[in-house]
Amino acid sequence: QVQLVESGGGLVQPGGSLRLSCVTSGIILRFYTMGWYRQAPGKQRELVAAITSGGSTNYADSVKGRFTISRDNAKNTVYLQMNSLKPEDTAVYYCNAAVSPYPNWGQGTQVTVSS
């Protein structure tokens, strides 16, 4: 069974940085395009970053230039480095396959950007 465990969130001031991690199990990570999603209160979940099995990346316009997605297939882990954080980045962040996400989402990790 696929398991996705996110961590690394927290409370940070505007302009600060966080690094999120997602440990996966039950899949051979290197075969999959993975993504980081976020869901803010009252909003739909959105895909903000994706990385292919070959390492190509793509970002939502709202995070381009500030967020960096990466992966370590040997550690079954996907990362999201978030810099220059803004209050509008406040959300619960999840990882999952970027194409046809698995139905069993992880618990997510809360990111709160506030002074």
Side-chain angles (χ1 to χ4, degrees):
Q1 183 174 352
V2 176
Q3 287 193 318
L4 306 162
V5 180
E6 301 91 350
S7 64
L11 173 63
V12 64
Q13 292 187 341
S17 298
L18 285 173
R19 189 193 195 204
L20 307 184
S21 299
C22 171
V23 178
T24 69
S25 60
I27 62 172
I28 303 175
L29 182 64
R30 67 179 183 270
F31 291 153
Y32 293 89
T33 295
M34 296 296 292
W36 279 96
Y37 300 75
R38 69 185 180 188
Q39 186 167 22
K43 295 188 177 181
Q44 288 192 335
R45 189 175 293 164
E46 62 172 340
L47 178 65
V48 297
I51 184 166
T52 69
S53 57
S56 296
T57 57
N58 197 22
Y59 300 93
D61 288 343
S62 58
V63 307
K64 200 171 294 183
R66 300 187 297 120
F67 290 11
T68 303
I69 187 172
S70 61
R71 63 195 298 160
D72 186 335
N73 293 330
K75 295 183 178 180
N76 295 319
T77 303
V78 183
Y79 303 98
L80 186 68
Q81 178 67 44
M82 305 188 296
N83 299 328
S84 302
L85 283 161
K86 304 176 181 180
E88 51 263 44
D89 295 318
T90 295
V92 179
Y93 284 72
Y94 304 86
C95 74
N96 207 323
V99 180
S100 300
Y102 295 102
N104 50 328
W105 293 77
Q107 81 289 347
T109 186
Q110 175 71 49
V111 171
T112 302
V113 185
S114 175
S115 55

